Amino acid sequence: MSLQECDTIVSASNAILDGYTDTDVAIAIRDGLIADLGKKGDVIAKWQSKNELDLGRALLMPGLINAHTHVPMTFLRGFADDLPLMDWLTKHIFPVEAHLTNRIVALGARLGMYEMMRGGTTGFVDSYLLEANVLEEADKMGMRCVAGEAVFAFPSPAYPNWEAAADLYRAQAEKYRNHSRIKLCMMPHSVYTTSDDILRQSMELAQELDIMYHIHLSESAGEVAQSKELHQGMRPVEYAKSLGLLTNRSIFAHMVDLTDQELDWVAESGAQIVHNPVSNLKLASGIAPVADMVSKRISVAIGTDGAASNNSLDMFESMKLAAILAKGAMKDATVIPAEMAFKMATQEGARAMMKPDVGVLKIGAPADMIALDLNEPNVVPLYNEISHAVYASNAKDCILTMVEGKVLYQNGTYADGLYAETVAEMQDLVQWARSKANSL
Amino acid sequence: MSLQECDTIVSASNAILDGYTDTDVAIAIRDGLIADLGKKGDVIAKWQSKNELDLGRALLMPGLINAHTHVPMTFLRGFADDLPLMDWLTKHIFPVEAHLTNRIVALGARLGMYEMMRGGTTGFVDSYLLEANVLEEADKMGMRCVAGEAVFAFPSPAYPNWEAAADLYRAQAEKYRNHSRIKLCMMPHSVYTTSDDILRQSMELAQELDIMYHIHLSESAGEVAQSKELHQGMRPVEYAKSLGLLTNRSIFAHMVDLTDQELDWVAESGAQIVHNPVSNLKLASGIAPVADMVSKRISVAIGTDGAASNNSLDMFESMKLAAILAKGAMKDATVIPAEMAFKMATQEGARAMMKPDVGVLKIGAPADMIALDLNEPNVVPLYNEISHAVYASNAKDCILTMVEGKVLYQNGTYADGLYAETVAEMQDLVQWARSKANSL
């Protein structure tokens, strides 16, 4: 039998594959896709490759997907903590954001992507101001990214009004139409920062462009109170439902303050939820009823939210917290077992990206994968790979991050060679940001 | 002015010192103590040292103190997850523990200490079966350790009855009386696994030996229900109070299920609490009322609990979770600010060790300190050192761990040279542990 050719063969002592784990595994990659996988001996016997990466004692697994973040906000990491939400936003975050530039957004996005690839995240769903910069940097840096300009009812640096925002969306959707890694997502910020018309029209545009519709919803008790006051007693989910926003292309971020009826509506609609446990705790929004969501068969993905309210973009941390917080809140150790938290951080994240093949290592899927170092003390001994990935691993155990078969990060080195200058330029922003906050 | 001699000078770009932060700092160490600290130029001008460690862009800070753990249990890391507490204990953990040997306990302790020193923890408070092995390994490995044999009313591998356990405590207290890093601690397991007599007599012995008295208390609703049934309607804290266990040498681990009255009693007694947020969530015990504890001026330290119920010994994770979980539970973003969480993981931990000087970098204190790599993306940019230590850092950002001025871990290398063989021997235990559980 003659050998088939592939680009790379990655092998390791352990792997989490499509619903099962295996030892002594190799994965053959061709044209960015997984061409074959199996026992190392079998794969080597069938494939000839230009590059061989033998990782030794390591755990190969799908890259984690950060299904809700604002990646440029790394530039405000640790800028203001431990404050009530409205003080935090109006006295600290907004005054600095009022001076945003394309360069700052690009720089924040670059830093956040370095942090994510360093920590085993291969894809992310993002919205912020001047988001074109995030799309461009993700394209250059090789990460998988689904993103859209944050849509508000008031002017933003990227558009004066909804019509201009819609034009921006159409142009960007066209620009990235055939891109395998980058995709648009409709990103109305929230029901409380938009309007009936914008919410409806943005849903129509999402349908026209065939993209997901991703919105912050029912994040806090304050949002619920405001909604009831402004919208004839309707809570945010009911209000969103009245506007036709509960669809199977809808993704609701946070969803902390909910009634059982609201969860039933979401379940019936086929909409998805993104759970952001770290941010919900740090901003004191509360604890989302994730066990209830799952028992109603709602798809739940996991996000870190932005670094200004987390303060990291660590999906391993958020995956573990998603699993344990639900147990503590429900006083039931059996809810959100490790396998489910793992699925939320991988396959359910892939659904949020409209890229269902990503999130599982299987033949034909894009080679978006990572490897964890199994020589570190926190993952010894090894009884169960998924338990270790969820409960014992640390983002920094990641030694290899690959998207579409291309190495983005390996053993301390970022492939694009621009890490040091990005860090230096970002550090220089500290004085600038402080001066903008102090100028209030 | 002639130069004074010291053993080591450690310098770095940033440091968290005694209640303040500074840049461009050097610390001079002599005979295991901090002999001087200040701006690098000033320290270098005064001290001549045999070793110089210039860490560059790094954050020097006191080592974290894990104030409640069962470090040998690393050998059961990931062995059984997502189970109700009683199933987990009786069907999985106890059947394996029934076959414990000195070698397994020593090996588990070694692995746990590697994990802790790798992750920036310099000291820990421990109890388990055959604990003499933990004391001995901590002595050899250079970590700071306060520990005691777990005391039960039933025979354990280390003693047949309380009288023998008391003799063991007296002998070990004598053995380590003048040790600067190792100290005994009275460790009755819980009110539900001991007896009135043992609880009272162990407190008397703690007073006789002048050691802390550390016990699991009010960990879960189940424990409270059982206490009320067995002890004339008294909840665990009231029962402990009736036996004279609420003293200023008492340390209560977990303390999840509490009334306001119970917290007042604890506050009046001067007893300390150790909060174990990860384990409390994972075992579904619930959320301890830490904000209430702090507002009543109770000293609260932080622990990871054992690796079988966490599943890591990561104090950075537990410190962050202590800060954010209290906010989410109270719906108040201002409770347990970063500075307080940091103090809980350092100075309050030092109190739990009866070693108040540890936990702050100041002249005269033992040089128990660590350094975090500030070149990692998750700690860029740097606005506030304490915010980054609590909210943004990762245990694996630790590049240097030092106890009493001796380097235990630096940049991937464990000083004692036995890491690889410990890992290999531990991994070999997997089949053995599985066979013991399956033999049920």
Side-chain angles (χ1 to χ4, degrees), chain A residues 70-84:
Chain A
H70 313 287
V71 70
M73 295 188 83
T74 51
F75 87 99
L76 292 175
R77 188 201 307 277
F79 180 67
D81 299 300
D82 308 322
L83 295 166

Side-chain angles (χ1 to χ4, degrees), chain B residues 211-259:
Chain B
I211 58 179
M212 300 301 278
Y213 184 92
H214 187 125
I215 186 169
H216 296 87
L217 194 67
S218 224
E219 181 170 353
S220 68
E223 179 184 339
V224 172
Q226 192 192 45
S227 172
K228 288 166 77 172
E229 196 178 313
L230 293 177
H231 306 299
Q232 298 85 44
M234 287 191 285
R235 296 167 52 89
V237 175
E238 185 175 9
Y239 172 59
K241 183 171 183 283
S242 76
L243 296 172
L245 306 187
L246 269 62
T247 76
N248 65 2
R249 78 169 68 242
S250 306
I251 301 177
F252 302 131
H254 295 289
M255 294 286 270
V256 174
D257 193 311
L258 294 169
T259 64

Side-chain angles (χ1 to χ4, degrees), chain B residues 145 256 282 286 306 318 327:
Chain B
C145 170
V256 174
K282 184 158 186 281
S318 290
K327 299 181 209 306

Side-chain angles (χ1 to χ4, degrees), chain A residues 33-54:
Chain A
L33 303 178
I34 295 176
D36 198 7
L37 56 76
K39 287 288 182 189
K40 185 177 177 185
D42 298 339
V43 172
I44 297 286
K46 280 164 64 182
W47 296 88
Q48 180 165 24
S49 98
K50 297 167 199 135
N51 306 305
E52 291 204 15
L53 282 174
D54 187 348

